[in-house]
Amino acid sequence: TRQVGRGDPRDRWPPFPKPRLQNLKEEMNKKVLVIVIGIILVLGGLVIYFEKSQKVEAEVKDSSNSIEITHELGTINIDKVPERVVVLDYGALDVLDALDVPISGVSKSNTMPDYLSKYAGDEYKSCGSIKEPDLEAINEIKPDLIIMSGRMADYYEELSKIARTLYVSVEGSDYMNTFKSTLETYGKIF
């Protein structure tokens, strides 16, 4: 039997307050839930933003007919992503390898760094040494692009007769900026 008004806890109004610990748990759960939802929304927005950004970049590359690149020894126009690339500089080869650019021919010598040793194999045509190009071997490849550096500067005109030739250099006095500029150039091309 229940006695109304006689101290039965079910009859009290307002009901017993929840213990403080339980209130804190509920508040923390709500805050955590809000934070998790916020993170999900932000990540979802970033994914959508980057997907749109990549589509725009791809459309810009596809819609333009040619990319003009001016370097220290001249200017070249590239109208498509090069498929047959000859690289006559180990620094450039290192970067292009990291970017997974397909390479057809390289300078080969006894001084090739170990981390580029895969390019010493027969699947990559030897295009001379790091100091002197083998013009006949390069011509046999029929490259879309030749990438060279300071050691080969004297051969620029001859190499340019074979294919578009990009001269890359990194200045010691402004290394980071010239390296960044070179990477941006590779980004435009590939």
Side-chain angles (χ1 to χ4, degrees):
T1 69
R2 189 169 161 215
Q3 297 177 357
V4 176
R6 292 237 171 208
D8 190 335
R10 293 176 286 182
D11 292 334
R12 286 191 175 171
W13 189 257
F16 288 115
K18 293 181 182 176
R20 185 176 170 126
L21 185 58
Q22 189 174 354
N23 285 341
L24 286 174
K25 280 184 176 180
E26 286 179 7
E27 286 180 37
M28 288 299 290
N29 286 341
K30 288 177 185 176
K31 287 180 182 177
V32 168
L33 182 62
V34 167
I35 290 171
V36 168
I37 290 172
I39 290 172
I40 290 171
L41 290 174
V42 168
L43 290 176
L46 287 173
V47 167
I48 291 169
Y49 171 78
F50 284 117
E51 283 178 359
K52 285 183 179 180
S53 172
Q54 288 175 349
K55 287 179 185 174
V56 168
E57 282 182 30
E59 288 171 10
V60 168
K61 267 198 168 177
D62 292 341
S63 67
S64 66
N65 294 335
S66 180
I67 300 169
E68 184 175 276
I69 298 172
T70 302
H71 54 85
E72 208 172 303
L73 300 179
T75 300
I76 60 171
N77 289 308
I78 297 180
D79 52 1
K80 65 176 184 155
V81 175
E83 295 174 8
R84 291 178 311 278
V85 180
V86 169
V87 183
L88 303 175
D89 176 72
Y90 291 152
L93 182 60
D94 184 18
V95 172
L96 295 172
D97 180 58
L99 295 173
D100 290 328
V101 172
I103 307 296
S104 299
V106 297
S107 294
K108 293 186 181 182
S109 67
N110 295 337
T111 60
M112 183 175 280
D114 290 339
Y115 58 89
L116 295 175
S117 62
K118 75 178 190 182
Y119 293 101
D122 291 337
E123 63 269 22
Y124 301 98
K125 181 118 175 131
S126 175
C127 296
S129 69
I130 58 172
K131 293 183 180 178
E132 185 175 354
D134 181 342
L135 299 173
E136 290 178 21
I138 294 170
N139 200 25
E140 286 175 13
I141 294 173
K142 300 194 182 329
D144 300 315
L145 179 65
I146 301 169
I147 299 176
M148 58 172 288
S149 67
R151 292 181 180 156
M152 301 277 185
D154 293 340
Y155 297 97
Y156 178 77
E157 293 301 323
E158 293 173 79
L159 291 168
S160 294
K161 292 175 184 172
I162 298 172
R164 292 175 195 92
T165 303
L166 175 64
Y167 177 83
V168 295
S169 67
V170 178
E171 291 180 31
S173 62
D174 194 16
Y175 178 82
M176 289 308 289
N177 285 328
T178 55
F179 183 70
K180 179 182 173 191
S181 174
T182 301
L183 289 178
E184 289 170 352
T185 301
Y186 292 152
K188 289 176 187 175
I189 296 170
F190 300 105

